[in-house]
Amino acid sequence: MNRQDLTALLDCLPDEWIESAAEPKAHKRIAFRFRAFWIAACFAVLIAAAVYPRLRTDPPERIETSVSSQETTIPPRTEPATSDTTAQTESVTSLPETEHAADTAVTVPVSETSTVSAEITQTHTTARDTSESSQPTAATTATISMTAVLTAETIRTEERASTAFSETTVQSTLSETSFTVSYWSEAVPEQDTAPSNTLAYSQFSLSAAVYTEAVPDLPYFPKQPEIDTAEFDAVLITATFPCASAFIRSGTLQPDGGLLLFVSGQPPFTPEIRSTRHFLIAVPKLCHVDGARVTAIFEMETTEEQYRRAESEPLTFSGYISTD
Amino acid sequence: MCKTEDQDIILLFEQRDEQALAETSSRFGTLARAIAKNITGSTEDSEECLNDALLTAWNAIPPTKPQNLRAYFLRLVHNAAVNLLEHNSARKRGSGQFTDALDELADCLPSRGGVEQTIEQRELTAAIMAYLGTLPKKQRDLFVRRYWYADSVSKLAALFGMTENSVKVTLSRIRTRMQEHLRKEGLL
């Protein structure tokens, strides 16, 4: 097409187009830095909206320690040789967990080399007797102290029963704990002023776990008005003394704060029947939880003669440990 | 654009007031000189074209009463510049943007001679106008500024906020599509 034709063609352009093109809108280019700024701002908002709520809602990761590692951190308990005399003092804390079945009677001789052997006979629960002894001193007019530590591990039986035994087994296990404890003499410092007929003091402690069990309705165990069952748990102990004249002189209870009561009244008391006594320990509920260990330390006065006789007649305890 | 001002100027023309020439030159002189210079390639020729356009308008108004005074006056300037360019070309003078623009556009349009030229010229014009009517305003303005106003690519780039390369590419695409459109219409 020649120029004249093109010119004639362009003359046909409408006035509106020529008018519109006369003042074209200035299409200002937006600088790249401004566009980049807004793009970055949009990305920041999107990321904040998408990621931040997840960060807020996700729970923090927990560092879980495996069971095996926990087990390895606990040193395994070892069963001390029950016939070994060196395992007398600390056997309380190193008791076996599985070796003794709860429903089998176990007789564990302890401290065979002691002057007075200690022996625990447990009918339904696992029991251990740890004895500390020293060489008996020659019989003098001085007082003679005897110490016997008895640990009835009904708590262990209870733990085991909760995991492995049936409910029936547990009840039968907790029905009664009877044991026999022997006592022995300790070296006692001489007392110059002591008379010849001074009574010997026998100290023994009774440690037993308290668990829920109704106190049997025994005729010789009348309800004690001193014991408020809302505040105290009752531990009934039947003691067989080797001599009729022996009596419990005093006693303390561990943990502190416990109340030691006796069925027959305030100590000292004399057994009504030779070699058999019943006494009651009232343990404040706040001192323990169910299955906690209670230790009562008694002091018994005997004469030297009674003590010597007691060597051949071990002191026997049978107890009901109960709470209501 | 203020239509009332255009009407006032037209009224001055009708009243044969010479102030109409001064007002027209004041309002459209800059753009008119630019068009004339783009076509003729000379500042002196652009002034001559402006004066020719003012004289033509003085003689035409009245009885002519343009609806769009600016487009009307710019068209007068454009025609005067084209005529001057043709006159100068005959005398081997001058060559501006308009020549280059027409050469670009002539490559994509059919060239026919003979009796049928006049008949097909109308159809061709109508097809091109229809095609330009489909373009976005920016592309149409770009087309008009390039081939009617005869603006240079650099000026268009500055005017439309584009790069020169973008202006060239846009104009090339407009021409290519126009060719396709004319081919569809059977005019190529």
Side-chain angles (χ1 to χ4, degrees):
Chain A
M1 182 175 283
N2 56 37
R3 292 180 182 177
Q4 288 76 18
D5 295 338
L6 280 174
T7 303
L9 188 148
L10 292 175
D11 274 339
C12 297
L13 290 175
D15 290 344
E16 291 78 13
W17 293 358
I18 295 172
E19 171 72 19
S20 174
E23 295 180 352
K25 289 184 178 179
H27 301 277
K28 294 183 178 178
R29 297 182 63 196
I30 301 174
F32 177 75
R33 59 179 180 273
F34 294 113
R35 285 186 291 178
F37 170 77
W38 287 111
I39 291 172
C42 291
F43 271 107
V45 170
L46 290 175
I47 291 172
V51 176
Y52 185 67
R54 295 184 60 186
L55 292 176
R56 290 289 302 272
T57 55
D58 286 347
E61 294 183 359
R62 295 178 179 176
I63 301 175
E64 296 181 356
T65 56
S66 61
V67 176
S68 58
S69 63
Q70 290 179 352
E71 289 178 350
T72 54
T73 58
I74 299 173
R77 295 184 175 184
T78 57
E79 170 62 17
T82 55
S83 60
D84 189 359
T85 56
T86 60
Q88 295 174 359
T89 57
E90 298 298 331
S91 60
V92 174
T93 58
S94 61
L95 295 169
E97 292 186 356
T98 58
E99 285 76 9
H100 301 296
D103 55 352
T104 57
V106 178
T107 299
V108 182
V110 180
S111 181
E112 292 179 349
T113 60
S114 301
T115 305
V116 178
S117 63
E119 184 178 11
I120 297 175
T121 302
Q122 182 176 350
T123 304
H124 295 290
T125 63
T126 304
R128 290 297 306 273
D129 185 5
T130 303
S131 301
E132 295 179 2
S133 65
S134 60
Q135 293 296 326
T137 59
T140 61
T141 58
T143 59
I144 299 174
S145 297
M146 294 183 294
T147 302
V149 179
L150 174 68
T151 301
E153 299 193 27
T154 51
I155 182 174
R156 192 166 304 284
T157 303
E158 186 182 36
E159 292 175 354
R160 200 180 302 148
S162 63
T163 56
F165 292 167
S166 64
E167 188 69 18
T168 305
T169 306
V170 173
Q171 292 301 326
S172 61
T173 300
L174 302 181
S175 61
E176 185 178 0
T177 300
S178 62
F179 40 83
T180 301
V181 63
S182 299
Y183 51 92
W184 59 94
S185 62
E186 287 182 345
V188 178
E190 293 184 354
Q191 297 180 0
D192 297 336
T193 59
S196 58
N197 60 348
T198 301
L199 296 176
Y201 294 90
S202 298
Q203 281 189 342
F204 59 92
S205 64
L206 175 65
S207 179
V210 179
Y211 49 88
T212 303
E213 177 82 10
V215 177
D217 189 10
L218 300 176
Y220 48 82
F221 182 53
K223 295 298 181 182
Q224 299 296 309
E226 298 88 347
I227 300 177
D228 185 359
T229 55
E231 298 179 3
F232 293 94
D233 294 329
V235 179
L236 177 65
I237 301 296
T238 299
T240 301
F241 295 92
C243 50
S245 60
F247 59 93
I248 301 294
R249 192 175 74 170
S250 63
T252 58
L253 190 65
Q254 293 178 351
D256 294 336
L259 177 63
L260 186 63
L261 298 176
F262 296 91
V263 174
S264 300
Q266 297 299 322
F269 65 93
T270 302
E272 298 173 353
I273 305 173
R274 181 190 177 276
S275 75
T276 301
R277 291 295 297 170
H278 306 284
F279 55 92
L280 181 68
I281 301 172
V283 182
K285 286 182 179 295
L286 298 178
C287 290
H288 68 279
V289 295
D290 194 5
R293 185 175 302 281
V294 177
T295 301
I297 301 174
F298 301 98
E299 190 175 38
M300 183 174 65
E301 276 189 358
T302 61
T303 62
E304 186 175 355
E305 179 184 357
Q306 290 170 343
Y307 169 70
R308 292 186 185 279
R309 243 173 52 190
E311 286 183 339
S312 58
E313 296 183 34
L315 181 64
T316 302
F317 287 102
S318 64
Y320 283 93
I321 304 172
S322 64
T323 61
D324 54 353
Chain B
M1 174 57 57
C2 186
K3 289 289 182 182
T4 56
E5 293 182 1
D6 288 351
Q7 294 300 321
D8 293 340
I9 294 173
I10 292 173
L11 184 60
L12 291 175
F13 273 109
E14 291 175 346
Q15 293 174 354
R16 313 310 295 172
D17 189 347
E18 292 183 358
Q19 185 65 26
L21 300 176
E23 290 291 334
T24 302
S25 179
S26 174
R27 290 198 57 186
F28 312 122
T30 304
L31 188 58
R33 288 188 187 92
I35 294 172
K37 186 179 180 182
N38 289 338
I39 294 173
T40 60
S42 171
T43 304
E44 292 82 8
D45 291 343
S46 64
E47 285 293 333
E48 184 179 349
C49 292
L50 178 62
N51 292 331
D52 289 345
L54 287 173
L55 179 60
T56 304
W58 180 260
N59 293 331
I61 303 172
T64 305
K65 189 173 183 179
Q67 297 296 324
N68 190 333
L69 181 62
R70 182 161 68 170
Y72 176 80
F73 184 73
L74 293 180
R75 192 183 296 274
L76 292 178
V77 173
H78 180 270
N79 291 336
V82 169
N83 293 332
L84 185 59
L85 177 63
E86 290 177 354
H87 182 264
N88 291 339
S89 297
R91 296 169 56 185
K92 307 295 183 185
R93 282 181 57 196
S95 177
Q97 292 291 332
F98 189 63
T99 306
D100 298 336
L102 290 181
D103 291 340
E104 290 176 6
L105 193 59
D107 293 338
C108 64
L109 294 177
S111 177
R112 291 188 177 89
V115 181
E116 61 184 2
Q117 179 182 0
T118 306
I119 300 172
E120 291 186 356
Q121 184 72 21
R122 295 177 183 176
E123 295 179 357
L124 182 64
T125 303
I128 291 174
M129 296 305 143
Y131 167 73
L132 293 177
T134 62
L135 291 178
K137 181 179 183 301
K138 181 181 178 181
Q139 292 187 14
R140 189 172 62 240
D141 289 346
L142 194 65
F143 182 89
V144 173
R145 293 290 302 204
R146 174 58 180 163
Y147 299 113
W148 197 87
Y149 285 77
D151 285 331
S152 64
V153 173
S154 59
K155 185 177 181 181
L156 291 177
L159 198 61
F160 285 86
M162 302 166 64
T163 62
E164 293 186 13
N165 186 57
S166 178
V167 171
K168 291 178 182 177
V169 170
T170 303
L171 290 173
S172 175
R173 288 175 179 172
I174 290 172
R175 293 194 303 266
T176 303
R177 291 172 190 159
M178 187 168 66
Q179 272 188 310
E180 294 175 357
H181 178 75
L182 295 177
R183 191 173 290 113
K184 284 183 180 179
E185 296 292 331
L187 298 174
L188 279 181

